[in-house]
Amino acid sequence: MDLQNYMEIVVQSKIDQVLKMFPKCCHCDVCKRDIAILALNHLPPKYISTEKGKIFMQMEESSSTSDAMVVQEIVKAIGIVSEHPRHDG
Ligand SMILES: [Zn+2]
């Protein structure tokens, strides 16, 4: 089965954009992955078929309200990760 969680795509596409607003937060790959995991665990998964046309169809359907929800969860995750980074420095 070619299934993918659409939320993963959205979170990954927004994470850099949101991190720019938090210059004090570490931008390394470890922290970025932690932020993505925390955000995704609080967002409802949205599974899509990875067949090309369907991805675009689903993207059209995604509303700006779910975008705002994604940004909100990323911001919360950044707060948690910047207070408890899993590495020194
Ligand atoms: Zn880091």
Side-chain angles (χ1 to χ4, degrees), residues 26-32 81 85-87 89:
C26 178
H27 284 45
C28 81
D29 284 344
V30 177
C31 292
K32 264 200 228 176
V81 170
R86 289 200 298 139
H87 57 72

Side-chain angles (χ1 to χ4, degrees), residues 3-18:
L3 293 180
Q4 193 166 8
N5 183 358
Y6 171 68
M7 276 299 175
E8 278 182 42
I9 304 169
V10 182
V11 167
Q12 279 174 17
S13 72
K14 293 216 175 288
I15 204 157
D16 285 319
Q17 192 185 324
V18 181

Side-chain angles (χ1 to χ4, degrees), residues 5-89:
N5 183 358
Y6 171 68
M7 276 299 175
E8 278 182 42
I9 304 169
V10 182
V11 167
Q12 279 174 17
S13 72
K14 293 216 175 288
I15 204 157
D16 285 319
Q17 192 185 324
V18 181
L19 263 173
K20 273 185 204 158
M21 299 189 278
F22 296 88
K24 281 185 191 164
C25 180
C26 178
H27 284 45
C28 81
D29 284 344
V30 177
C31 292
K32 264 200 228 176
R33 198 175 55 216
D34 283 350
I35 292 162
I37 289 167
L38 281 169
L40 281 166
N41 282 340
H42 289 105
L43 289 161
K46 226 182 193 180
Y47 284 97
I48 53 166
S49 159
T50 49
E51 279 171 60
K52 226 178 174 182
K54 288 191 181 169
I55 286 183
F56 289 112
M57 196 179 75
Q58 293 281 350
M59 283 183 162
E60 296 276 322
E61 279 176 18
S62 92
S63 63
S64 54
T65 50
S66 73
D67 268 19
M69 207 167 72
V70 169
V71 171
Q72 199 180 35
E73 289 302 335
I74 294 175
V75 168
K76 272 196 240 171
I78 287 173
I80 295 165
V81 170
S82 54
E83 275 180 39
H84 307 282
R86 289 200 298 139
H87 57 72
D88 298 324

